[in-house]
Amino acid sequence: MSVETEHLEAMLSRLKLTLLRDQLDTLLDEAARRELNLREALVFLCEAEIARKDQRRIAMGTSIAKFPFVRTLDGFDYDAQPSLDAKQLRELATSRWVGNGDTLLLQGPPGVGKTHLAVALGRAAIERGHSVLFTQATHLVAALAKANAEGTLEQRLRHFTKPKLLIIDELGYLPFTANAAHLFFQLVSRRYERGSVLITSNRSVGEWGQVFTDAVVATAILDRLLHHSHVITIRGDSFRLREKRRSGLLKADRVNHQTTA
Ligand code: ADP
Ligand code: MG
């Protein structure tokens, strides 16, 4: 390696331009092949470096978020869910609501795409530079209750307060004990007007009194969550059953019976 190349690599390392450092020859050849002038070449190199940094940041953010599966908004079939407003979802996909610290509630029966949308919107938020954490409601309260019993509640609360967007999946499938509801209230209060919360639930907001056992705690939680909020109600058939019906595994009347049960 020439002294000049070594010097250049050392400078690129110091500037943390790792893609330029690692692929310098290929990139310079490409710039030459395209006959770029100096300014154009600089643009080309900066874009390449930024693309790689974005890619890494998104990969890192996605792994920290602990999504249960990979889903995107592009992979969502809007025609299958006519109760959804595509324009509203496009607006949510900009993640402005996350920047504002708003709450988003996705409610509807099982299989209509709530978790899919939660993961896809979470990923969109990461792309916009926000930190995200995905958790199931039962896991969340179990973790808080355990920490409370062990005297480490403060750390746990901080863990769930830190991400700019906290996604709480499947709230309401199981009712909370009074203790769990109180711990959940503490978390919601901490996040209030600081970070965003996305909640998916098979229960409508009106039924949350039952979820949190205590109507007073439920009101206090809702008061904070709904202050700056967007509520999306998804109706219609389970996507899973729909796919099965389409492939002939289920007869239509049987599906209707199952989804209304
Ligand atoms: P929910 O959380 O409402 O119970 P999910 O989001 O888990 O439902 O959806 C069930 C499965 O069906 C997932 O694999 C999801 O990706 C898929 N799915 C649901 N709705 C749609 C849709 N409109 N377009 C594409 N896939 C969908
Ligand atoms: Mg789900």
Side-chain angles (χ1 to χ4, degrees):
M1 197 190 289
S2 73
V3 174
E4 192 194 45
T5 306
E6 232 168 81
H7 180 47
L8 181 54
E9 285 195 359
M11 288 193 293
L12 291 172
S13 284
R14 189 169 154 194
L15 292 170
K16 298 194 170 64
L17 302 173
T18 48
L19 178 80
L20 299 194
R21 183 197 61 203
D22 297 343
Q23 294 183 21
L24 192 60
D25 290 342
T26 318
L27 290 167
L28 290 181
D29 286 351
E30 177 64 18
R33 201 185 57 77
R34 293 194 201 172
E35 298 181 354
L36 303 181
N37 65 32
L38 278 178
R39 179 181 289 269
E40 289 163 346
L42 192 55
V43 169
F44 169 67
L45 294 172
C46 286
E47 282 176 351
E49 183 69 44
I50 285 172
R52 151 108 136 215
K53 284 198 166 26
D54 280 348
Q55 218 177 35
R56 291 223 160 154
R57 184 179 53 73
I58 291 165
M60 174 76 78
T62 307
S63 113
I64 291 171
K66 305 224 164 46
F67 294 125
F69 46 46
V70 179
R71 291 293 185 282
T72 60
L73 288 168
D74 287 343
F76 194 81
D77 179 358
Y78 291 94
D79 296 338
Q81 220 53 263
S83 64
L84 280 176
D85 178 357
K87 189 166 152 260
Q88 184 181 21
L89 275 171
R90 270 199 302 278
E91 166 58 28
L92 291 169
T94 65
S95 299
R96 256 191 291 271
W97 65 281
V98 179
N100 295 339
D102 296 352
T103 302
L104 173 61
L105 300 180
L106 297 176
Q107 57 189 36
V112 292
K114 299 184 299 296
T115 304
H116 182 135
L117 287 175
V119 169
L121 289 170
R123 162 136 188 139
I126 291 169
E127 286 173 9
R128 295 282 167 156
H130 300 297
S131 56
V132 176
L133 180 64
F134 181 104
T135 180
Q136 283 212 334
T138 47
H139 171 83
L140 172 73
V141 292
L144 291 177
K146 182 164 178 280
N148 192 29
E150 291 171 353
T152 55
L153 181 62
E154 185 55 36
Q155 277 130 281
R156 272 289 100 177
L157 282 173
R158 235 181 283 144
H159 169 75
F160 288 115
T161 309
K162 225 169 79 185
K164 180 69 186 167
L165 169 62
L166 179 67
I167 300 176
I168 305 171
D169 198 29
E170 300 198 347
L171 188 88
Y173 279 85
L174 290 174
F176 286 12
T177 63
N179 182 45
H182 182 67
L183 292 170
F184 187 75
F185 169 71
Q186 288 191 46
L187 177 64
V188 168
S189 305
R190 283 228 187 182
R191 294 194 59 91
Y192 179 59
E193 290 192 331
R194 264 193 268 171
S196 271
V197 186
L198 189 167
I199 294 177
T200 79
S201 182
N202 62 334
R203 306 277 197 110
S204 67
V205 168
E207 297 174 297
W208 282 21
Q210 295 158 37
V211 173
F212 296 113
T213 319
D214 181 333
V216 177
V217 176
T219 307
I221 290 171
L222 279 175
D223 186 53
R224 282 157 184 77
L225 283 181
L226 296 183
H227 188 193
H228 308 280
S229 69
H230 312 261
V231 180
I232 294 184
T233 305
I234 314 177
R235 286 172 241 282
D237 275 359
S238 158
F239 193 82
R240 293 188 198 98
L241 296 182
R242 217 183 111 98
E243 292 288 287
K244 280 200 187 126
R245 182 175 51 197
R246 201 177 279 161
S247 63
L249 282 171
L250 284 174
K251 288 206 184 88
D253 58 339
R254 188 161 147 67
V255 171
N256 286 338
H257 174 71
Q258 286 203 347
T259 50
T260 51

